[in-house]
Amino acid sequence: MSLELAGIMNSLVRLLLFILFSISTPLLGQQVSVSPGAIDDGPYFFKSNDTIAAIWIKNNNLYSRIILPDNFAGIRSMFGFSFNYNYLVKTFRQSPGFSQKFTDVDNICVISDIHGNFESYITLLKGASVIDGNLRWKFGKGHLVILGDIFDRGEKVTEILWHVFDLEKQALGAGGRVHLILGNHELMVLSGDLRYIHEKYLITQMLTGISYSGLFSGNSILGMWLRSKPAAVTINDILFIHGGISVDMIENGLTVKDINEAIYNDLIGKEPVDSSHIIKLDLLIGDNGPLWYRGFFSETGIDNQNLDKILAFYGVNHIIVGHTPGNVIRSVNNDKIFGVDAGITNGLPGELLLIKKGEFFRVDSSGIRTKL
């Protein structure tokens, strides 16, 4: 590359990043105390018209680059990505699917509430033979369900997000599927609520000059990708959702399609069309909505009569949730409800739920399966 062209490229990067930074959420005067030791973070890709810019942090130094098809190979090699430039760009043309119904799936693996703990996440996926020693997909036509809350508390959120982003493509190529379902912490970060982010990401904010939410804005690759994800999915006779389903939700007639569409519209800033939509949105993002509800594993739980109404409304026999932590995966109401938040966020090794041809198994961090 000539010196003149290199200068033009650097100017484009600075201009694009200036535009992106200027429209990001302000930092609101947060005080950051940088602890000893340098951080690495990123990459974060942003799109403006037909141009993509990347920023990343290495040893507390901020780097930026305009991304083109012929230089993406270097970025891909640097961060260990397997996807190509076209797949990266295609994210902005990805239409969200609201109905989210899948059938005839023999093998399903479920994990929840990873909260930035990359090592536990990888150990569990390896133990369940979802990925191989090179962290690549080996689950064939199986489906991996991640029941939300990748964000917050831990220090390797970005690494998990990019691994899931990459694994999604690998799974599709093998005839399988990765379902990343939104949790309350995804909603919080995308909506600007940063009270639970790890201190590392306060340093990221300081070094980039962008709020953490701004790094996942609607013109970022990861931000757009996350906004396209559902809050509810049905596979076979099972409903997968982060928090749970309250009776209020079925009384308001909120189908899987309704849930996913309303939350997507909220995340992209689309205003509700009338008062009834406002009421339903308030329910969906409130304590009795699918991202925050804890009623299934409260002291009183849910009675079988109301639960059967919920199951019948969604046409399923089981509901699998995260959000409410326990020490192990457990079930209530005669195995109609399973809770898969097995304490990763509390420093426990965690567990996965494996479903093989309708049978349920706990899988621990050593890969040992226990039938439920």
Side-chain angles (χ1 to χ4, degrees):
M1 181 184 294
S2 69
L3 290 177
E4 181 180 2
L5 181 56
I8 293 172
M9 294 287 286
N10 286 332
S11 296
L12 284 171
V13 170
R14 287 194 295 272
L15 176 61
L16 180 58
L17 292 176
F18 171 78
I19 294 169
L20 292 167
F21 292 0
S22 67
I23 64 175
S24 297
T25 308
L27 295 181
L28 302 177
Q30 286 188 3
Q31 297 296 313
V32 180
S33 175
V34 180
S35 57
I39 70 160
D40 299 336
D41 192 25
Y44 298 97
F45 295 99
F46 302 89
K47 189 171 185 291
S48 178
N49 297 322
D50 295 326
T51 306
I52 295 179
I55 60 172
W56 66 93
I57 297 167
K58 184 73 173 176
N59 293 323
N60 275 10
N61 293 307
L62 180 65
Y63 297 88
S64 63
R65 184 178 300 174
I66 290 288
I67 303 299
L68 300 169
D70 59 354
N71 72 6
F72 183 70
I75 293 286
R76 185 170 65 177
S77 176
M78 183 188 310
F79 293 103
F81 300 150
S82 69
F83 56 85
N84 59 26
Y85 177 84
N86 289 333
Y87 188 78
L88 186 73
V89 174
K90 192 170 69 173
T91 305
F92 279 91
R93 299 192 296 270
Q94 187 170 318
S95 299
F98 298 135
S99 294
Q100 293 292 322
K101 184 173 183 178
F102 302 85
T103 57
D104 301 320
V105 181
D106 288 338
N107 296 310
I108 306 168
C109 199
V110 194
I111 187 172
S112 183
D113 295 80
I114 304 162
H115 286 297
N117 194 326
F118 182 78
E119 287 74 18
S120 293
Y121 160 76
I122 290 298
T123 298
L124 287 165
L125 292 191
K126 283 183 179 178
S129 295
V130 174
I131 60 174
D132 61 21
N134 295 317
L135 313 189
R136 293 182 59 81
W137 183 260
K138 64 174 292 188
F139 203 41
K141 295 182 179 180
H143 286 215
L144 170 64
V145 181
I146 302 172
L147 270 180
D149 282 8
I150 289 175
F151 278 106
D152 290 339
R153 297 196 169 99
E155 64 180 350
K156 290 191 176 180
V157 171
T158 320
E159 289 86 343
I160 297 169
L161 289 173
W162 281 120
H163 184 259
V164 175
F165 184 95
D166 205 348
L167 202 64
E168 190 177 72
K169 173 182 177 294
Q170 297 168 31
L172 286 171
R177 194 96 181 195
V178 173
H179 305 275
L180 173 55
I181 292 174
L182 296 174
N184 59 304
H185 284 267
E186 279 71 45
L187 183 68
M188 290 169 71
V189 169
L190 294 176
S191 302
D193 185 344
L194 305 179
R195 72 185 106 156
Y196 295 114
I197 64 173
H198 189 274
E199 62 180 8
K200 168 186 171 180
Y201 297 111
L202 296 177
I203 300 171
T204 292
Q205 289 187 134
M206 181 184 69
L207 294 174
T208 62
I210 311 175
S211 79
Y212 191 59
S213 291
L215 294 170
F216 299 95
S217 65
N219 64 336
S220 72
I221 296 288
L222 286 176
M224 192 65 178
W225 175 68
L226 286 165
R227 284 169 174 81
S228 74
K229 298 306 173 190
V233 170
T234 59
I235 306 175
N236 299 338
D237 65 340
I238 306 169
L239 173 64
F240 296 86
I241 202 154
H242 177 68
I245 298 288
S246 66
V247 174
D248 290 349
M249 290 176 62
I250 64 168
E251 288 178 347
N252 279 271
L254 290 165
T255 66
V256 166
K257 180 179 182 295
D258 295 332
I259 294 168
N260 292 330
E261 187 171 13
I263 291 176
Y264 171 77
N265 286 337
D266 182 54
L267 287 173
I268 65 170
K270 185 176 180 179
E271 295 292 331
V273 296
D274 56 36
S275 59
S276 68
H277 284 79
I278 293 173
I279 292 169
K280 289 180 179 180
L281 178 61
D282 287 344
L283 170 60
L284 287 173
I285 63 175
D287 290 345
N288 283 330
L291 305 184
W292 287 95
Y293 183 65
R294 297 186 192 271
F296 289 163
F297 289 96
S298 66
E299 288 186 8
T300 56
I302 185 169
D303 62 85
N304 283 319
Q305 183 177 3
N306 279 324
L307 178 57
D308 287 344
K309 289 178 182 178
I310 292 171
L311 295 172
F313 181 83
Y314 291 102
V316 296
N317 293 320
H318 309 276
I319 301 175
I320 298 179
V321 302
H323 190 52
T324 305
N327 294 330
V328 295
I329 289 173
R330 70 272 196 215
S331 66
V332 293
N333 296 80
N334 298 317
D335 291 343
K336 293 177 181 178
I337 299 171
F338 289 85
V340 298
D341 181 353
I344 293 176
T345 188
N346 293 327
L348 298 176
E351 293 184 333
L352 293 170
L353 180 66
L354 179 65
I355 307 161
K356 293 184 69 67
K357 296 184 177 179
E359 293 189 313
F360 296 83
F361 301 85
R362 264 195 342 250
V363 184
D364 67 15
S365 57
S366 300
I368 297 173
R369 299 180 185 180
T370 305
K371 189 173 180 181
L372 292 165

